[in-house]
Amino acid sequence: MTIGPSLSPEQAREIYAQGEEAVVFALLELAKQLAEQRAAQASTSHATPATPSGMKPPYTKPTSSGRGKKKPGRKAGHPGSRRKVPEKIDWQVEHRADRCPDCGGPLHRCEEIRTRYTEDIPETQPEVSEHTIHRDWCSNCRKKVEPPVPDALPRATLGNRVLVLSAWLHYALGNTLSQIVEVFNFHLQMPLTKGGLTQMWYRLQVILYVWYEQLQQEALKSAVLHADETGWRVGGKTLWLWCFTTRDLTYYMIDRSRGSPALMQFFIGEFAGVLVTDFWGAYNAVVCACRQTCMAHLLRELEHTEKYKSPGKNWEAFAKKLRRLIGDAIRLWRRQDELPSDTYASRRGRLTARLEELIDTNWDNNHAKRLIKRLRRHQNDLFTFLDNPLVPFDNNHAERSIRPAVIIRKNSYGNRSQNGADCQAVLMSIFRTLKQRGHDPIRTVIKAVNQYITTGKLPPLPAPQSAADG
C-alpha cells in the first residue's frame, strides 16, 4: 500500500483496522512527505513576501492574464506628445524625387513642400589641444612659475570631459569598466585603458572629497533623515553599503561593520532630527531626538510569518489587531488635513491606547511574543508620522535611494580594493545628490574641477535648483 496524497478512504480504513501502531506509522510517513515537499519548494523559490519583483526568478512568477490592467498610452482624444521644434538649425537639406517611387513615371513639378526635422549625434572625433605654457621668473619667490592648465588634471593627457563623463557612466549609471572602454574606443574614437580610467577616478575622488564631507554635515543637520543598508563585496569579502538620504541629498558609506561602529562613524554627535529606519537593531545605538520605524516592514513581517513560519493558534487574532491598528493609523495620517484638530488629537490618542493594550495583552503564540517585544522596544517610534507632517510612515525613500547602488553592485560585483570602495562611495554620493538637486552632473563637476585646477579651491556644493532659483 502506498501512503501519500493519493490515499483513498478504503485504504485509510484498512490502516485504522490494523491498530494504533499502523496509524502512527502512516501519520509519520505523511508528515515526512509533507516536509520533503516544502523543502523542495523552498529550494526552487528564492523569494519571500518582502522580495522585490525584480529579484524573483521569472519562472516563479504567475502568468498574467492581462485582464483588468490599464492600457498603456494616453486615452483616445488626448493631444499627442512629440519633440519640440529645434530652435537652432545646423544643416538644411532639400530632397526631390527624380521619378515616381511607385511606378517610375515622370513627375510634374509642384510648389508644395513639407518640412521635417531630425536630430542626431554627429560623427565624433577627439580634439587634441597643444598647450604652450610659458614659464617666467618670480623675483619674490626666486623661482620659475607657470600658469595652470584648467582643461585637464596636472600631468594628465586626457581632459576633464573624458574624466567626468567616464566617472558618471560608471558611478551614476552603473556601466562596467569594459563597457565604458568600448564606448570610448569605438564610438568616441578615443583609446582608453581600464587602469588609466581607474587612476583618474581616484584623483577625481580626492578633489571632490570636500563635497562628500559637506554632504555628511548637511545630512546631520536635516530635519528628517532616512537610513538603510545592504551588502557589498570588496576584495571577495562581504562589507556593507550604508545609505543616508533626504529629499535633497544621498550619502553612501561602505564599511566592514553592519552594527553600531559604522553608525558611529557617520553620527559624530546627537542627531537633532527624525531618523527613519527599519527595525534593524543597530539603529538603536544612534542618539537622536526622535525616530520613525517603517510600518511597511512590520506589515511584511506579518505576511512572512503567516506564509513561512506556521504561526499556529492565537496568531490570527494578534495579526488581525496589529493590521487594523496600522491601517487605522495610516488612514488617519492621510486625512490629517481634512479633520478638525480636536478630532484628529482624539483619534491619535485612541491609537496610542490601542497600541498599549496590544502590548500589555498576554499572548500564548511565540511569534506574537516576538513581535510584542519589538513593539514594546519601539513603542515611541511607531506613530511619529502622526505628529510630524514631514515624516512618512515607511522607509521607502531610503530603499529607493539605495536601489541604484544595488543595480551597480549587480553589474560590477562590488570593488576589488578598499581604495575602490572609498572612491565608489564618494563619487556615487556626489552624482546621486546632484541629480536630486536638479543639476547637470557632468557639467557641474567639470566646472568645479576646472575651478579647482585654476584656484586650488573647490566651489561649494551646489544647492537644490529650486533654492538656487529663489
Side-chain angles (χ1 to χ4, degrees), residues 254-396:
I254 299 176
D255 194 83
R256 296 180 180 275
S257 172
R258 196 192 178 192
S260 57
L263 290 169
M264 293 305 101
Q265 292 185 32
F266 179 79
F267 293 98
I268 54 180
E270 180 179 357
F271 179 59
V274 180
L275 181 61
V276 185
T277 67
D278 53 21
F279 291 93
W280 177 237
Y283 295 109
N284 298 331
V286 180
V287 179
C288 58
C290 199
R291 304 175 188 270
Q292 172 62 57
T293 47
C294 181
M295 295 288 98
H297 277 79
L298 198 54
L299 291 174
R300 286 198 290 265
E301 178 66 24
L302 293 176
E303 183 180 358
H304 183 271
T305 301
E306 291 171 351
K307 190 169 183 179
Y308 292 96
K309 296 186 177 180
S310 303
K313 63 178 182 178
N314 299 330
W315 165 261
E316 185 176 353
F318 167 78
K320 185 176 181 181
K321 280 193 173 184
L322 183 54
R323 277 198 180 95
R324 281 187 175 179
L325 179 62
I326 297 173
D328 291 344
I330 295 175
R331 281 187 287 271
L332 178 61
W333 173 75
R334 287 173 175 163
R335 297 188 59 195
Q336 56 185 328
D337 296 332
E338 306 173 6
L339 299 175
S341 57
D342 54 345
T343 303
Y344 183 84
S346 175
R347 296 185 180 181
R348 169 69 176 88
R350 287 203 295 270
L351 289 173
T352 302
R354 288 169 57 185
L355 176 61
E356 293 175 354
E357 180 185 356
L358 182 67
I359 292 175
D360 294 338
T361 303
N362 293 324
W363 300 95
D364 296 334
N365 187 276
N366 291 332
H367 293 286
K369 291 179 180 179
R370 173 175 58 86
L371 289 180
I372 285 295
K373 290 182 180 179
R374 180 182 300 181
L375 296 177
R376 184 177 291 112
R377 184 184 305 113
H378 298 281
Q379 185 172 356
N380 298 325
D381 310 334
L382 298 175
F383 294 148
T384 306
F385 68 97
L386 296 175
D387 304 323
N388 189 335
L390 299 177
V391 178
F393 62 85
D394 54 34
N395 197 27
N396 287 351

Side-chain angles (χ1 to χ4, degrees), residues 193-239:
T193 62
K194 297 180 182 179
L197 278 180
T198 303
Q199 295 303 317
M200 289 176 61
W201 294 342
Y202 287 170
R203 298 180 67 183
L204 180 62
Q205 172 221 353
V206 174
I207 295 174
L208 299 181
Y209 194 79
V210 175
W211 281 3
Y212 186 66
E213 294 178 322
Q214 185 178 340
L215 283 179
Q216 181 183 9
Q217 297 300 322
E218 292 184 12
L220 294 175
K221 295 177 182 178
S222 60
V224 181
L225 182 65
H226 301 254
D228 200 6
E229 79 289 334
T230 187
W232 194 269
R233 300 284 286 180
V234 177
K237 298 180 181 180
T238 300
L239 273 66

